[in-house]
Amino acid sequence: MTGMNEKSDRTAEELQAEVDELTKALEAAKAALAEKTAAPGEEARSAFETAEEIGERMQESLADLQQRIDRNPVPSALIALAIGFLLGRVFSR
């Protein structure tokens, strides 16, 4: 019977080794899946933050431009007139 007990002990050890290997493989697959599913969310969040930053910069630039126009209304009107004239010439051809 000792031969049978040793054989079953080896089999139990082999099964435990296989279970350990499968557990490690499942943990690695779980980590890889978590990385792949987290990445799009992080990319979307990063893109949203970038869009917010761009929007804030545009608002600041527009506010600065408005202040410049308010301080210098005549030169601003002449510049706008010149730009309009040039655009009209370019697009009329």
Side-chain angles (χ1 to χ4, degrees), residues 33-85:
L33 183 61
E35 285 179 23
K36 290 191 184 277
T37 56
E42 290 176 19
E43 289 176 8
R45 188 173 331 133
S46 176
F48 181 73
E49 289 172 358
T50 302
E52 279 185 329
E53 290 173 8
I54 290 171
E56 289 173 5
R57 280 190 241 153
M58 286 182 66
Q59 287 179 345
E60 290 172 4
S61 297
L62 288 174
D64 183 46
L65 180 62
Q66 184 64 43
Q67 288 175 353
R68 288 182 184 191
I69 290 171
D70 290 342
R71 282 188 304 236
N72 304 307
V74 174
S76 298
L78 292 174
I79 290 171
L81 181 66
I83 290 173
F85 176 75

Side-chain angles (χ1 to χ4, degrees), residues 2 24 46 53 55 65 77 82 89 93:
T2 38
K24 288 178 186 176
S46 176
E53 290 173 8
L65 180 62
R89 295 284 293 184
R93 292 185 179 181

Side-chain angles (χ1 to χ4, degrees), residues 14-33:
E14 290 172 358
L15 286 174
Q16 184 61 42
E18 285 184 38
V19 167
D20 290 341
E21 287 178 29
L22 288 172
T23 302
K24 288 178 186 176
L26 282 172
E27 288 174 2
K30 181 181 172 184
L33 183 61

Side-chain angles (χ1 to χ4, degrees), residues 1-15:
M1 285 235 192
T2 38
M4 183 75 149
N5 198 11
E6 287 176 18
K7 188 174 185 180
S8 64
D9 285 342
R10 284 188 214 145
T11 306
E13 289 172 2
E14 290 172 358
L15 286 174

